[in-house]
Amino acid sequence: MQGGMLLGPSALGRSKMFLDNVFPRESLTVLDTLANIGLLFFLFLVGLELDPASLKRTGRSALAIAVAGISLPFSLGVGSSLVLRDAVAPDAPRGPFIVFMGVALSITAFPVLARILAELKLLTTELGRMAMSAAAVNDVTAWILLALAIALSGSGSPLASVYVLLSGAAFVAAAVLLVRPLLVHMARRSPDGEPVKESFVCAAMTIVLAAGLTTDTIGIHALFGAFVIGVLVPKEGAFAGALTEKIEDLVSSLLLPLYFVSSGLKTNVGTISGAKSWGLLLLVITTACVGKIGGTVLTSLLMRVPVREAVALGLMMNTKGLVELIVLNIGRDRKVLNEEAFAILVLMALVTTFLTTPAVTAVYKPARRQACYTHRTVERDDADADSELRVLACFHASRGIPTLINLVEASRGTRRSKLTMYAMHLVELSERSSAISMVQRARRNGLPFSSRGKQGGGGGGEVVQVAFEAFQRLSAVKVKPMTAISDLATIHEDIVASAVHKRAALIVLPFHKMLSHDGTALEPLDRAYHHVNVRVLRKAPCSVAVLVDRALGGMAQVSAPEVSYSVLLLFFGGPDDREALAYASRMAEHPGIALTVARFTGSTAPGDHDKPAAAAAAEVVPMDEEAIRKYVVVSGSVRYEEVAAEGRQEVAAAIKAMGRGKNLVVTGRSARAAPVLVEKSDCPELGPVGSYLATAEFSATASVLVVQRYDRRSDPTCDSPGEEVLEDAVVGAPMPSPAYTPTRAPAVAAPMPSPASPAC
């Protein structure tokens, strides 16, 4: 809206040379035609987002809020319309002007509100659900009032207006009785998981255009017919998602912006001049805010909604946007609004929409209850060794599912303890209608939602669901698919909140590079995914593992009896390496896993030569020795090697030699005694060893798992001292096992800080 106004006579359009060269008069007809075609299909998409079944389930509170949110601002709009008409548009027809003014002040932009709520992570909360339900009712009512306003604004006698209204009602009845069965038939012939027939898509688009032509001929507006058809399309199955995917990118990216340009060329803020005009603008904004916010707040309080939530709900319902712009443009085209009245109402829509997000953020911030739980690491005491292990495994696309499933299958072990996998699909929230449709199927607790039954949006949800259901039937692992839809700048909050809510002990994150289709190299994804991993590592409420996927087990899921992997664990010492060892030892329980533990005993890190070796050994050796005894010696099924390598070149050569033929290499993120193996890395969050393992120099076939152990001292989600953390504690050396005697005392370095990247 701002861009359109800048191109119009309010700013750049003041230059005659600019208008003559960029928007010559003969081009405006083509511009308006394309803009209206885009608007026609956009209203069809808006109808697709609106599920009539949800209106039936609208609660008493949401219905009362919707009624109050329409009636009070409409009533106040009638009063202010009389003042505005006498001041700026005395020649406008009284009846249509009053109705258009009332609709403009009482409308709530349903699509805009949905995106604001999603960005604020309120869409799946109880407050967001109530706002969306009330906005849906408001949206339908506004279109009915708009049809009334258009009918009244037509030329002719009052009988002509009655004829237009009756014809519009007849059109809706005919669409329900004749068009709806045809749409249902096409939806039934479009099963999930299969492409929708092109003929069905073409038929649906033809129906939309025909409906627009019919309502335009009746005298309402072409947009009304497109909206009705969108509402009538069945929301179940793949048909609605396929229609959305086919047209939304073209409409949202190309045609719809033309409508903003077309509207901006008609908006001249310069017509608002003098104290009287600015006073009228202030009056309209005040009337809109008082009517919408006041009516919603009072009704919410009567429904026993808390005060803060009631105020936030009122601010949300005051959202204007594209739907408001449509109403104003229709009024201007019908000669009901002149240039000054049009400009005043456009600025009102801009101001009220601008206020929504910061005002709601200031008034209402839902406080999520942070649960403090015990099992936040894979490494546990002997008393808790048989407790359930919960893993939150994240993935970007369906290509990462086989490796994820193969990793979890290899990690299930054979103990009595159960393994529960929460498979979270990370979906970027965009302006696409399909993303909003997916969010509307969310649970009502403000967290990412579980995938139950069929998913909409055509984003591969059915494929994901089937893959994990098949894995659960063939394995002893309990799998619960989830979906997190959020902006990539804040999706880490969803991951952290879900880990706390599900009491996860380990979060598995996908690396920000994905294996190419030919399997020869890692291709970088969006840089934002890299920042997601960095933020989760910094704020994680449990242990974290970053998975560098090089097709573990191939590009398909491997069944349990056919699992045959060779796994290498690199152990340099420190809490992260001990956590990695605990996870790898669980994998070693699988009969198809051959685990090799390589302990580096001679490597040195920068700064170690200034620190007495005895002090360093006294600080960390006891805990490392205990971990080796517990997970290597006692199990008896692990191959153990000690590697004496010093310096970057020797350590890198040893790792490369031992990694040949391995399917998976596991290491700690902050290996204490490891040297920096890569001078300049684009993934410093993997630590000194992990950064090298992610390079093509190390391997092109071995997947990598870099583990970071949970540290309660840096966790903001848990304030109670539920779990004692003995990191870096100086304790007495344990008695060595009779079956195990170290051949060399490791030279242990001082704790090495995690490398930091300026880009992170």
Side-chain angles (χ1 to χ4, degrees), residues 219-444:
I220 304 178
H221 200 282
L223 304 180
F224 189 76
F227 177 75
V228 170
I229 298 301
V231 172
L232 294 180
V233 172
K235 305 305 184 289
E236 300 81 12
F239 185 57
L243 292 177
T244 303
E245 283 193 347
K246 292 288 185 181
I247 65 175
E248 66 177 344
D249 288 333
L250 177 65
V251 171
S252 301
S253 302
L254 178 63
L255 299 180
L256 197 59
L258 295 180
Y259 185 76
F260 288 110
V261 174
S262 177
S263 300
L265 292 175
K266 302 173 186 176
T267 306
N268 187 3
V269 180
T271 58
I272 307 176
S273 59
K276 184 179 75 171
S277 295
W278 288 105
L280 290 172
L281 174 61
L282 183 61
L283 171 67
V284 172
I285 293 175
T286 304
T287 304
C289 294
V290 170
K292 199 71 172 179
I293 299 175
T296 303
V297 170
L298 291 176
T299 308
S300 301
L301 294 176
L302 291 176
M303 293 294 164
R304 299 184 179 180
V305 177
V307 177
R308 293 173 69 89
E309 293 188 7
V311 175
L313 196 56
L315 293 169
M316 293 174 189
M317 297 300 292
N318 198 34
T319 303
K320 312 296 182 188
L322 179 60
V323 182
E324 171 88 0
L325 204 59
I326 294 170
V327 173
L328 299 179
N329 272 282
I330 293 175
R332 192 179 187 280
D333 294 339
R334 295 274 173 160
K335 309 298 182 183
V336 176
L337 303 176
N338 61 10
E339 284 193 9
E340 186 174 358
F342 180 78
I344 287 174
L345 292 174
V346 168
L347 286 180
M348 179 271 295
L350 278 173
V351 171
T352 53
T353 305
F354 275 145
L355 291 176
T356 301
T357 300
V360 172
T361 304
V363 170
Y364 180 76
K365 290 184 179 180
R368 287 174 177 162
R369 183 177 59 86
Q370 303 291 358
C372 189
Y373 56 99
T374 303
H375 301 308
R376 296 174 180 253
T377 61
V378 179
E379 183 183 13
R380 295 173 185 177
D381 297 334
D382 293 336
D384 297 325
D386 293 333
S387 57
E388 180 186 26
L389 176 63
R390 297 189 174 192
V391 178
L392 179 65
C394 306
F395 62 96
H396 302 143
S398 56
R399 286 174 56 192
I401 294 178
T403 294
L404 202 59
I405 290 179
N406 293 335
L407 176 66
V408 174
E409 166 61 29
S411 309
R412 63 182 176 87
T414 57
R415 299 175 182 171
R416 290 175 294 171
S417 62
K418 298 179 181 179
L419 174 61
T420 300
M421 171 188 179
Y422 297 95
M424 179 180 286
H425 188 188
L426 304 179
V427 180
E428 180 183 7
L429 176 68
S430 65
E431 293 299 317
R432 296 169 62 97
S433 302
S434 55
I436 298 298
S437 299
M438 291 179 66
V439 178
Q440 287 177 325
R441 289 168 170 79
R443 288 169 54 186
R444 299 176 181 178

Side-chain angles (χ1 to χ4, degrees), residues 469-481:
E469 285 180 355
F471 173 58
Q472 183 169 252
R473 285 195 298 267
L474 299 174
S475 175
V477 179
K478 185 187 298 182
V479 183
K480 297 182 179 181

Side-chain angles (χ1 to χ4, degrees), residues 24 40 46 60 125 133-134 137 154 195 234 287 293 295 327 334 349 357 461 607 644 650 654 673 675 745:
L40 186 80
V46 172
R60 187 167 59 92
T125 62
S133 299
V137 176
T287 304
I293 299 175
V327 173
R334 295 274 173 160
T357 300
E650 288 188 20

Side-chain angles (χ1 to χ4, degrees), residues 503-537:
R503 298 176 178 267
L506 180 68
I507 300 174
V508 179
L509 297 173
F511 192 46
H512 66 274
K513 296 181 181 180
M514 184 172 289
L515 191 66
S516 60
H517 288 283
D518 58 6
T520 58
L522 292 174
E523 298 177 341
L525 300 174
D526 192 333
R527 186 72 178 176
Y529 287 112
H530 180 206
H531 297 309
V532 171
N533 290 355
V534 172
R535 295 185 185 106
V536 173
L537 286 167

Side-chain angles (χ1 to χ4, degrees), residues 12-342:
L12 297 176
R14 289 180 176 272
S15 169
K16 187 176 184 300
M17 183 179 67
F18 175 82
L19 283 182
D20 291 343
N21 286 277
V22 181
F23 298 108
R25 184 175 297 275
E26 56 270 18
S27 71
L28 296 182
T29 303
V30 179
L31 180 67
D32 288 342
T33 302
L34 291 175
N36 280 286
I37 291 176
L39 190 62
L40 186 80
F41 283 106
F42 176 77
L43 264 295
F44 172 66
L45 291 175
V46 172
L48 280 177
E49 288 188 3
L50 192 62
D51 188 0
S54 64
L55 298 180
K56 299 178 183 178
R57 299 190 298 267
T58 301
R60 187 167 59 92
S61 299
L63 184 61
I65 290 170
V67 172
I70 294 174
S71 57
L72 185 57
F74 191 91
S75 302
L76 294 178
V78 171
S80 60
S81 66
L82 298 176
V83 178
L84 187 63
R85 178 178 175 273
D86 293 338
V88 300
D91 298 331
R94 181 185 296 272
F97 190 90
I98 290 175
V99 177
F100 266 102
M101 190 73 178
V103 173
L105 267 63
S106 61
I107 201 168
T108 297
F110 177 80
V112 179
L113 176 61
R115 283 156 179 80
I116 290 176
L117 289 172
E119 291 174 2
L120 294 176
K121 298 187 184 299
L122 296 176
L123 189 55
T124 57
T125 62
E126 183 66 23
L127 181 66
R129 182 196 64 81
M130 190 179 300
M132 288 297 293
S133 299
V137 176
N138 193 309
D139 209 34
V140 174
T141 307
W143 283 107
I144 296 174
L145 292 174
L146 180 60
L148 174 64
I150 294 173
L152 292 175
S153 64
S155 59
S157 64
L159 291 177
S161 299
V162 175
Y163 166 77
V164 170
L165 289 176
L166 292 178
S167 299
F171 165 78
V172 174
V176 173
L177 296 176
L178 300 178
V179 180
R180 166 78 176 174
L182 180 59
L183 295 173
V184 170
H185 172 74
M186 289 189 288
R188 289 176 178 173
R189 295 287 298 274
S190 306
D192 293 328
E194 296 184 12
V196 177
K197 292 182 179 180
E198 200 69 27
S199 59
F200 288 175
V201 177
C202 293
M205 299 299 99
T206 304
I207 291 173
V208 172
L209 293 173
L213 175 63
T214 304
T215 52
D216 190 56
T217 304
I218 289 172
I220 304 178
H221 200 282
L223 304 180
F224 189 76
F227 177 75
V228 170
I229 298 301
V231 172
L232 294 180
V233 172
K235 305 305 184 289
E236 300 81 12
F239 185 57
L243 292 177
T244 303
E245 283 193 347
K246 292 288 185 181
I247 65 175
E248 66 177 344
D249 288 333
L250 177 65
V251 171
S252 301
S253 302
L254 178 63
L255 299 180
L256 197 59
L258 295 180
Y259 185 76
F260 288 110
V261 174
S262 177
S263 300
L265 292 175
K266 302 173 186 176
T267 306
N268 187 3
V269 180
T271 58
I272 307 176
S273 59
K276 184 179 75 171
S277 295
W278 288 105
L280 290 172
L281 174 61
L282 183 61
L283 171 67
V284 172
I285 293 175
T286 304
T287 304
C289 294
V290 170
K292 199 71 172 179
I293 299 175
T296 303
V297 170
L298 291 176
T299 308
S300 301
L301 294 176
L302 291 176
M303 293 294 164
R304 299 184 179 180
V305 177
V307 177
R308 293 173 69 89
E309 293 188 7
V311 175
L313 196 56
L315 293 169
M316 293 174 189
M317 297 300 292
N318 198 34
T319 303
K320 312 296 182 188
L322 179 60
V323 182
E324 171 88 0
L325 204 59
I326 294 170
V327 173
L328 299 179
N329 272 282
I330 293 175
R332 192 179 187 280
D333 294 339
R334 295 274 173 160
K335 309 298 182 183
V336 176
L337 303 176
N338 61 10
E339 284 193 9
E340 186 174 358
F342 180 78

